[in-house]
Amino acid sequence: MKKRPNFLFLITDQQRADWLGCYGHPVLKTPNIDSIAARGTRFDNFHTASPVCMPNRASLLTGRYPSVHGLRYNGCVLPENASTFVDVLADAGYHTAAIGKSHLQPFTGIAPMGKDLKDIAATPEAWKDTRLAQYEEEPEHYQGEDRYDIKTPYYGYQHVDMVTSHGDRCGGHYQQWFRENAKDWEALTDPANELPHNYSCPQAYRTPIPEELYPTGYIRDRAIDYVQARADQDEPFFAFVSFPDPHHPFNPPGKYWDMYSPDDFEVSLPFQAHKNPTPPMRWLHDQWKNGGDQATPQTAMMLGEQQIKEAMALSAGMMAFIDDAIGDILNSLEESGQLDNTVICYNSDHGDYLGDFNMMLKGALPFRSITRVPFIWSDPDGPSETSSDALCSTVDLAATILDRAGLKPFNGNQGQSFLPATQGAEGPRSEALVEYNDGGNRLGFDLPARVRSLVTPEWRYTIYRDQAWGELYDLTNDPNETENLWDSPNHQSVRAQLSERLVHHLIAQMDESPQADRLA
């Protein structure tokens, strides 16, 4: 009887689809990630359920949209009692591991935008005890010298190496390891000891932390340890290996800082390329030209060409480190004799504007730069060097992985398996829903933005709650989304059809769990 396949799921943070060599990037070299695509299928039309970290990661694990699983925006919590596809794998005999960033609950003591922690604690909720239904994971748990033991299973994971936050100041188990292995750790994390550089890009920081002590290196080494430890085990494994980069701050360590030059890049889609910018785009432009500040370090902003090119060069450096790390993990998988029985996936939780229309980071404007992400599926039993234009969503990953393992999803899963598309067939979707909910009011919105998009192979239709304007883009003739056809007289029938289809998707956002067990 053939052994069930292992799964190695590699995921980055805030990487747009076209920032890989195998996706056609003209400058960035990613030979190791490209090798995964060479052994499998590259998906060219894969979209997030939400272009924000926490909601989309929860959708990945649950196969449910943010409005249903409850982690609606960053700062919320995926309840401890939420079922995940990792639970299903573990119950079926898989050994499950999370190595790196998980981000299914907050790991800071900072209050949400415009709110006070005391007021939040004193406000009753619609459901009783909801704030108690979460894992007790707080930053202070990692302040001791002894390794903090996370309560497992943690969202289905039996083994957890936790890395929180971004850049060179990550927390969790990495922080404990860093303090133990870097005797001068306080000096290395002192901003006064930043290495000299001439970059003016916001959040460009030349860290003194060497490559071997940087979070990417830690995650690489823990993943290799795990893969090697599983080599002589009978039970198959599912390993979720999650890198916090290339998310800002822009701080690639060591040789990766100047591996790429800003002169290597160009801003090919400036603000002027958009024919009729939406109100938030105009608001961001005004803020940029008038010296306005970001609401938070994670809030979308506009920058000048040189600063964007600097951010691109540093992002490329971070990606180069990730690619090298993945190469080492793949070598370990092969050397341990497990490559030929392991399905390898490569993905990102969301993208980055990264210069499109002079914008940076992410936000309420669901351009393809932040909703379209890389996804590669390499299967020992599947085709090699193929690509698929099947429209897929993050919510489909749970159903697809379980399908490959010969298992069924739990009741309430909203995704559709696209396993046939990994074998060259068509995918199950003709449309994908993308949700965005903000935790605070920014980008000129009077209230926190509530945004819903419907993506088809031909169109992107977006509506903003309580706004008289919306977005409609012809992806066939305008793939860069430079002309909003919302008010075009010639496209009113298309707008009406997509509006109706979006309504059907929104009607479907009802939790089917728990199912009825009686007639009445």
Side-chain angles (χ1 to χ4, degrees):
M1 182 177 180
K2 187 173 181 179
K3 185 179 179 180
R4 290 174 295 174
N6 303 314
F7 292 92
L8 174 62
F9 198 103
L10 304 162
I11 185 169
T12 55
D13 193 340
Q14 198 157 307
Q15 180 196 356
R16 46 190 285 164
D18 54 5
W19 265 65
L20 285 173
C22 59
Y23 276 87
H25 197 280
V27 178
L28 176 62
K29 307 301 181 186
T30 52
N32 296 298
I33 299 170
D34 296 351
S35 74
I36 303 174
R39 291 194 296 265
T41 302
R42 183 194 72 232
F43 283 79
D44 294 333
N45 208 6
F46 192 99
H47 284 264
T48 61
S50 178
V52 186
C53 181
M54 295 181 71
N56 194 66
R57 286 171 180 262
S59 290
L60 193 164
L61 278 192
T62 63
R64 288 148 66 85
Y65 286 97
S67 57
V68 174
H69 62 56
L71 208 171
R72 304 172 300 279
Y73 48 81
N74 280 356
C76 295
V77 173
L78 182 64
E80 180 181 359
N81 60 353
S83 291
T84 70
F85 80 86
V86 184
D87 285 312
V88 179
L89 289 173
D91 290 344
Y94 272 79
H95 192 272
T96 56
I99 301 168
K101 180 180 177 181
S102 65
H103 214 187
L104 300 169
Q105 61 184 98
F107 284 91
T108 75
I110 303 173
M113 290 181 61
K115 297 182 180 179
D116 185 275
L117 290 175
K118 293 181 180 179
D119 292 339
I120 294 173
T123 304
E125 293 284 2
W127 294 95
K128 299 175 182 177
D129 299 330
T130 54
R131 292 200 178 100
L132 302 179
Q134 58 183 288
Y135 291 93
E136 296 182 2
E137 293 299 313
E138 300 295 341
E140 56 265 26
H141 291 161
Y142 300 94
Q143 296 305 311
E145 295 183 2
D146 295 333
R147 178 182 169 89
Y148 172 61
D149 290 328
I150 290 178
K151 174 188 173 184
T152 56
Y154 182 76
Y155 296 109
Y157 294 114
Q158 299 153 332
H159 170 90
V160 180
D161 258 304
M162 182 66 73
V163 179
T164 63
S165 194
H166 305 100
D168 67 342
R169 309 294 172 81
C170 288
H173 289 131
Y174 163 77
Q175 184 185 81
Q176 292 187 299
W177 173 88
F178 177 75
R179 292 198 305 265
E180 181 181 351
N181 287 273
K183 302 308 178 185
D184 56 345
W185 66 270
E186 290 179 297
L188 289 173
T189 55
D190 186 342
N193 294 325
E194 179 185 8
L195 300 180
H197 66 86
N198 61 355
Y199 281 46
S200 63
C201 171
Q203 301 189 51
Y205 178 83
R206 190 164 192 178
T207 178
I209 294 176
E211 296 160 26
E212 64 270 18
L213 294 177
Y214 189 79
T216 296
Y218 172 83
I219 294 168
R220 172 200 61 206
D221 294 344
R222 300 294 78 75
I224 290 173
D225 290 345
Y226 180 79
V227 166
Q228 292 176 342
R230 301 309 304 171
D232 58 354
Q233 302 298 312
D234 291 332
E235 56 187 349
F237 68 78
F238 174 85
F240 184 82
V241 179
S242 178
F243 297 96
D245 282 353
H247 190 290
H248 54 98
F250 307 107
N251 61 183
K255 67 181 180 183
Y256 297 103
W257 174 270
D258 51 11
M259 182 171 286
Y260 291 89
S261 166
D263 294 338
D264 296 335
F265 299 87
E266 64 178 27
V267 180
S268 58
L269 203 62
F271 177 75
Q272 291 76 15
H274 203 289
K275 297 177 180 178
N276 48 349
T278 59
M281 294 177 71
R282 295 197 300 269
W283 185 90
L284 282 169
H285 188 264
D286 290 343
Q287 288 288 107
W288 170 34
K289 292 301 183 181
N290 295 317
D293 295 327
Q294 291 175 277
T296 70
Q298 288 73 42
T299 300
M301 59 181 168
M302 285 191 182
L303 295 177
E305 180 177 327
Q306 179 59 28
Q307 291 180 318
I308 292 172
K309 291 164 65 174
E310 291 173 358
M312 288 177 172
L314 297 178
S315 295
M318 290 191 283
M319 278 306 308
F321 194 0
I322 291 171
D323 186 74
D324 286 346
I326 287 175
D328 292 337
I329 296 170
L330 295 178
N331 288 338
S332 177
L333 191 66
E334 184 172 18
E335 291 169 0
S336 63
Q338 300 176 91
L339 180 63
D340 290 340
N341 193 45
T342 301
V343 175
I344 304 172
C345 301
Y346 182 89
N347 191 210
S348 181
D349 58 0
H350 56 81
D352 191 309
Y353 297 128
L354 206 55
D356 284 3
F357 309 118
N358 284 98
M359 297 191 298
M360 289 291 300
L361 311 185
K362 57 189 179 291
L365 305 175
F367 287 101
R368 284 160 60 86
S369 52
I370 65 169
T371 68
R372 179 176 169 259
V373 291
F375 183 75
I376 304 169
W377 176 283
S378 175
D379 192 323
D381 293 342
S384 300
E385 294 188 271
T386 61
S387 63
S388 173
D389 60 1
L391 181 61
C392 302
S393 168
T394 298
V395 294
D396 300 327
L397 285 171
T400 304
I401 292 171
L402 292 177
D403 192 3
R404 180 63 178 87
L407 302 169
K408 294 182 178 181
F410 50 79
N411 178 53
N413 176 81
Q414 296 177 288
Q416 304 176 60
S417 172
F418 59 86
L419 188 62
T422 70
Q423 302 291 327
E426 294 184 357
R429 286 188 177 277
S430 58
E431 303 162 341
L433 173 68
V434 181
E435 298 186 355
Y436 177 87
N437 306 297
D438 209 334
N441 52 310
R442 42 190 158 185
L443 272 63
F445 288 97
D446 293 331
L447 296 172
R450 299 289 181 264
V451 188
R452 298 295 183 268
S453 295
L454 188 69
V455 178
T456 77
E458 298 84 18
W459 303 96
R460 194 257 286 180
Y461 171 85
T462 300
I463 189 166
Y464 297 77
R465 185 187 68 177
D466 294 335
Q467 302 298 316
W469 56 274
E471 291 177 290
L472 175 65
Y473 292 99
D474 180 349
L475 301 180
T476 302
N477 298 305
D478 181 24
N480 290 326
E481 300 172 300
T482 63
E483 183 177 11
N484 182 9
L485 302 172
W486 181 266
D487 292 324
S488 167
N490 295 331
H491 293 85
Q492 292 307 296
S493 62
V494 174
R495 177 176 154 185
Q497 292 168 9
L498 293 172
S499 174
E500 182 176 346
R501 288 303 306 151
L502 179 59
V503 168
H504 285 284
H505 281 269
L506 298 181
I507 291 172
Q509 298 309 301
M510 181 185 79
D511 196 346
E512 301 288 350
S513 177
Q515 58 185 319
D517 59 2
R518 298 291 189 276
L519 180 61

